[in-house]
Amino acid sequence: MSRAIVEAIGTEMRENEEVFYMGEDVADYGGIFDSTQGLLEEFGHDRIVDVPISETAYLGAAVGAAQQGMRPIAELMFVDFFGVAMDQIYNNMAKNTYMSGGAVNVPMVMTTAVGGTYNDAAQHSQTLYGTFAHLPGMKVVVPATAYDAKGLMHNAIRDDDPVVYMYHKRLMGLGWLPAPDGPKTPVPETDYTIPFGRADVKREGSDATVVTLGLHVHRALDAAAALAEDGIEAEVIDLRTLVPLDRETVIESVRKTGRLVVVDEDYRSFGLTGEIVASVTDEALDALEAVERVALPDVPIPYARSLETEVIPGATDIEAAVRATR
Amino acid sequence: MYADMVTARYYEERLQEEYLEGKQPKFDISAGPIPGELHLAAGQEAAAAGVCAHLRDDDTVTAPHRPHHVAIAKGVDLKRMTAEIFGRETGLGSGKGGHMHLFDPEVNFACSGIIAQGCPPAAGAGLAAKKRNTDSVAVAYLGEGAIDQGGFLESLNFAAVHDLPVVFVVEDNDWAISMPQERVTDVESAASRAGGFEVAGVAVDHDDAVAVYEAAREAVGRARDGNGPTILSVQVHRRMGHFMGDPESYRPDEDREAATERDSIERLAADLRAEGVDDEALAAIRAEAHDRVDEAIEWAKGEPNPDPEAAYEDAFVNPASGVTDTEPDFDLAETGGEER
Ligand SMILES: Cc1ncc(C[n+]2csc(CCOP(=O)(O)OP(=O)(O)O)c2C)c(N)n1
């Protein structure tokens, strides 16, 4: 998936002088998660910019440059580090458009790596989808396949609003962190955009609707394959963007299946699972026969393998949840 | 000091071996007996031993993501620290924290994996000492890459304004992952940050544990006597990659070689020999350190993995008031939703 992302960034940088990328270890290293592999060679240190470890300064600087009409992409190495720079993110990046009554806008992309499954413990494994989607003013993108990742990145850079682009480390195709097969999809060489706010039905089914995103799309697909052996057909919906959120596709699916399972690698309470369930109950309570939520049980992510495996939902947890709706 | 330094070096050599088990020939970070990332500190031992030699158990140390050498010098329980690194139930954090998040309240040692974020709590420990009128001090360790971070600069100012007993020890190993210092700061030494805050700033050269010891005696003494904070910048060397598995393709070979040529441990051994300590005595110290390390690692490996159910404990010390039962119980079919 990382190659697809880099391809989109490279194309946009070639076509628009105003696009540049900054972050920690993005130049000579090529991004800890390969998010900028090869870009330094073509664009040099002026446009692929290594920055001091000072997220407040460089994420805030991206806001400032964006307000001048440039199109910065600023990388926060792990989403877990948002804390040291949250003011720039949610008080400036996300709010300046609104506070100015639309007089200024902030056409920047903040990229960031999310997710666990490799035992990096509580400060390096979160997804925090809910945190960013909860705070208004930034679009939130979470690709699950290489194809989606490229189209969504083109769209993100061209978008006139701030976009938070969250990629799961386990999907990037890193040598040291093997990816499942799912994200390795064919990617057209030409550029194309995937509009925000359009969920993708990654597998059709009539018996239950599984709504998820990121890595868990692939875990849900594995679960669906296992369920199919027992004749249970699960529909798997990949949200692709959280803001804007495609509620219609979810509701339509639930009207068909009557059963809803929401899967999230983020904390359970006050998050995505609750939001999706609430959206469906608002619009389609009559169609709902059963609901299950599969998410992190409101504890920080533990280090030891036995503990991490317990809290991060796996395919078997999803499978069990679908069965529980029957 | 020598014992702490050789213990730390050998400890990390052994951890490296264990870490690579199951990760060869293909490096997969999620395989093998040690979970997660591993940041080793070979080449940085002098900064740990030289400073911690002046500290008591009631003095606080906050360490960053590269903590083992500092933990050893501060006297953290070696066995339980090792069990934590292996993710075992009897580890310092019951297997929940891991190598970047070691906590040993017995010796007031804590960690953070977020850059410079150990500095504010160190200032807080200094504040507590001052409020309680004790003479304990706090030491915050950080890398040279962390000196641009708000967490450091704000704590420095806070400690300066309140004359808090805090020493900020900057381990300058020239690199912040792939970023050489000169690309991201305009100062040669972190100690020059001191001027703008009107605190003391001292820089110690190249791996000289004795020089670190002398400089730290003054800095820790200043803090203990109520005369405020110091930045103590120590030039050290990163002999290895940033983390295990780092291909270091950004780093010139000469630089890596130069970093391994200088060795604070050999330098201290030479100093000790010059003082009349014989090789036999040094060998005995080394042998004892190795035994201690081997014993800790063997013990830790025999300890049990945590019971998965333990994952739900410890978010609060007082769960009765802190944890809401969030068992899924929303089943419309059961509540009669189907009938409507
Ligand atoms: C706030 C924050 N930003 C980025 C990181 C990622 N990161 C971990 S270590 C590191 C480099 C630190 O360099 P330095 O402070 O010099 O310490 P060293 O690793 O050289 O010991 C970075 C950027 C982090 N952990 N926290």
Side-chain angles (χ1 to χ4, degrees):
Chain A
M1 203 167 87
S2 70
R3 285 202 351 252
I5 293 174
V6 170
E7 228 172 82
I9 295 168
T11 305
E12 294 293 331
M13 286 185 68
R14 243 164 262 133
E15 280 169 15
N16 186 350
E17 283 279 299
E18 304 277 14
V19 180
F20 65 98
Y21 200 107
M22 59 180 168
E24 292 154 14
D25 306 287
V26 299
D28 299 62
Y29 198 108
I32 297 295
F33 302 108
D34 291 358
S35 53
T36 50
Q37 274 302 323
L39 292 176
L40 176 70
E41 287 69 35
E42 182 178 353
F43 298 104
H45 279 111
D46 277 349
R47 292 184 73 198
I48 303 293
V49 187
D50 270 343
V51 297
I53 307 170
S54 44
E55 286 80 2
T56 294
Y58 77 81
L59 290 170
V63 174
Q67 282 176 196
Q68 293 299 316
M70 294 196 78
R71 292 196 171 254
I73 307 168
E75 173 173 309
L76 175 65
M77 191 186 289
F78 289 68
V79 75
D80 313 70
F81 309 159
F82 82 85
V84 301
M86 198 53 174
D87 189 66
Q88 291 303 321
I89 298 168
Y90 90 116
N91 274 325
N92 286 346
M93 183 181 101
K95 289 178 184 163
N96 284 0
T97 304
Y98 188 81
M99 293 192 298
S100 67
V104 302
N105 68 320
V106 186
M108 66 176 278
V109 182
M110 184 179 103
T111 57
T112 190
V114 303
T117 75
Y118 65 109
N119 320 105
D120 222 9
Q123 296 182 335
H124 287 72
S125 303
Q126 300 169 102
T127 57
L128 302 177
Y129 298 139
T131 303
F132 289 84
H134 176 65
L135 299 162
M138 45 199 154
K139 296 175 179 169
V140 179
V141 176
V142 183
T145 67
Y147 178 86
D148 288 353
K150 182 172 169 182
L152 289 165
M153 180 54 87
H154 276 296
N155 213 51
I157 298 170
R158 293 176 200 176
D159 199 290
D160 288 331
D161 285 313
V163 176
V164 180
Y165 187 102
M166 308 172 96
Y167 48 79
H168 199 291
K169 298 154 210 165
R170 174 88 49 217
L171 298 180
M172 292 295 266
L174 306 167
W176 48 273
L177 188 59
D181 287 331
K184 293 171 201 148
T185 53
V187 178
E189 269 178 40
T190 52
D191 59 329
Y192 57 93
T193 57
I194 291 176
F196 293 164
R198 212 167 293 167
D200 187 36
V201 179
K202 290 273 193 289
R203 178 187 174 116
E204 292 195 16
S206 51
D207 299 329
T209 299
V210 180
V211 178
T212 188
L213 71 175
L215 172 69
H216 281 75
V217 168
H218 306 288
R219 296 194 162 177
L221 288 170
D222 288 348
L227 289 160
E229 285 175 18
D230 288 346
I232 302 170
E233 290 300 329
E235 182 144 297
V236 177
I237 296 181
D238 173 6
L239 291 169
R240 295 201 294 202
T241 66
L242 285 177
V243 181
L245 179 61
D246 181 359
R247 294 181 167 89
E248 281 82 69
T249 298
V250 175
I251 290 162
E252 211 177 284
S253 173
V254 173
R255 284 202 186 285
K256 179 172 73 176
T257 64
R259 294 175 169 87
L260 173 63
V261 175
V262 192
V263 183
D264 187 9
E265 199 181 320
D266 199 357
Y267 306 116
R268 179 185 172 88
S269 296
F270 310 100
L272 172 79
T273 55
E275 181 60 31
I276 299 293
V277 173
S279 301
V280 175
T281 56
D282 279 351
E283 296 288 325
L285 187 58
D286 53 329
L288 259 187
E289 287 177 47
V291 174
E292 287 288 331
R293 296 203 265 161
V294 185
L296 272 181
D298 298 337
V299 292
I301 300 174
Y303 169 77
R305 252 179 224 135
S306 58
L307 301 177
E308 199 209 42
T309 309
E310 169 69 20
V311 300
I312 295 185
T316 50
D317 299 310
I318 302 171
E319 198 186 318
V322 172
R323 287 185 199 280
T325 64
R326 311 283 302 164
Chain B
M1 268 191 342
Y2 184 73
D4 280 345
M5 288 166 71
V6 292
T7 304
R9 178 69 61 87
Y10 182 67
Y11 185 67
E12 295 211 326
E13 283 167 7
R14 290 285 287 108
L15 280 190
Q16 182 178 6
E17 275 168 33
E18 298 286 339
Y19 187 75
L20 289 175
E21 215 188 295
K23 291 191 178 73
Q24 280 168 330
K26 180 133 178 51
F27 189 84
D28 171 357
I29 193 168
S30 48
I34 299 182
E37 281 179 88
L38 188 65
H39 309 82
L40 300 180
Q44 305 192 182
E45 296 88 352
V51 175
C52 291
H54 301 284
L55 301 182
R56 311 184 304 232
D57 284 355
D58 64 321
D59 294 328
T60 293
V61 165
T62 62
H65 60 286
R66 198 181 300 287
H68 309 147
H69 59 314
V70 183
I72 287 169
K74 182 64 169 79
V76 167
D77 186 320
L78 191 66
K79 283 183 163 176
R80 294 195 59 213
M81 162 165 142
T82 311
E84 186 61 26
I85 293 168
F86 278 87
R88 303 302 163 115
E89 192 181 270
T90 46
L92 289 170
S94 311
K96 287 177 180 146
H99 118 94
M100 285 187 275
H101 319 107
L102 302 168
F103 294 84
D104 190 350
E106 299 287 318
V107 295
N108 289 292
F109 183 89
C111 272
S112 175
I114 313 293
I115 295 302
Q117 298 305 316
C119 297
L127 183 66
K130 189 177 172 188
K131 282 191 177 302
R132 289 170 169 171
N133 253 325
T134 71
D135 69 345
S136 59
V137 304
V139 175
Y141 275 86
L142 60 154
E144 91 294 334
I147 64 167
D148 306 310
Q149 189 64 284
F152 166 59
L153 297 166
E154 293 179 29
S155 313
L156 184 58
N157 187 57
F158 183 78
V161 161
H162 293 285
D163 285 326
L164 300 181
V166 186
V167 182
F168 297 91
V169 177
V170 179
E171 293 183 271
D172 182 350
N173 66 8
D174 298 320
W175 294 90
I177 310 187
S178 70
M179 292 189 290
Q181 196 193 336
E182 63 274 11
R183 198 183 310 146
V184 285
T185 60
D186 274 342
V187 292
E188 211 154 282
S189 159
S192 43
R193 289 268 190 274
F197 294 84
E198 298 196 358
V199 301
V202 186
V204 182
D205 249 8
H206 294 300
D207 299 308
D208 186 345
V210 176
V212 176
Y213 180 87
E214 293 302 339
R217 173 161 55 194
E218 214 172 291
V220 172
R222 180 179 299 119
R224 245 191 246 300
D225 295 344
N227 295 321
T230 305
I231 301 177
L232 175 58
S233 178
V234 182
Q235 178 70 53
V236 293
H237 294 97
R238 198 178 93 188
R239 297 166 76 96
M240 314 184 46
H242 171 74
F243 46 74
M244 290 296 297
D246 177 1
E248 282 199 303
S249 47
Y250 51 82
R251 186 175 185 181
D253 290 342
E254 310 85 74
D255 186 83
R256 194 180 312 103
E257 281 155 23
T260 38
E261 265 162 33
R262 298 180 169 276
D263 189 349
S264 57
I265 296 181
E266 277 167 26
R267 178 165 180 165
L268 182 60
D271 287 346
L272 289 169
R273 275 188 217 103
E275 297 279 321
V277 182
D278 61 25
D279 279 338
E280 224 167 281
L282 293 179
I285 293 174
R286 276 198 304 275
E288 200 183 316
H290 290 198
D291 286 348
R292 205 177 143 225
V293 167
D294 288 333
E295 196 194 332
I297 289 180
E298 278 324 301
W299 178 79
K301 281 166 64 176
E303 290 299 284
N305 290 316
D307 175 1
E309 288 300 310
Y312 305 96
E313 294 159 10
D314 296 329
F316 299 96
V317 287
N318 183 6
S321 65
V323 171
T324 311
D325 183 0
T326 55
E327 271 303 296
D329 60 356
F330 188 81
D331 186 338
L332 273 179
E334 259 173 34
T335 57
E338 220 170 8
E339 262 65 62
R340 249 173 298 160

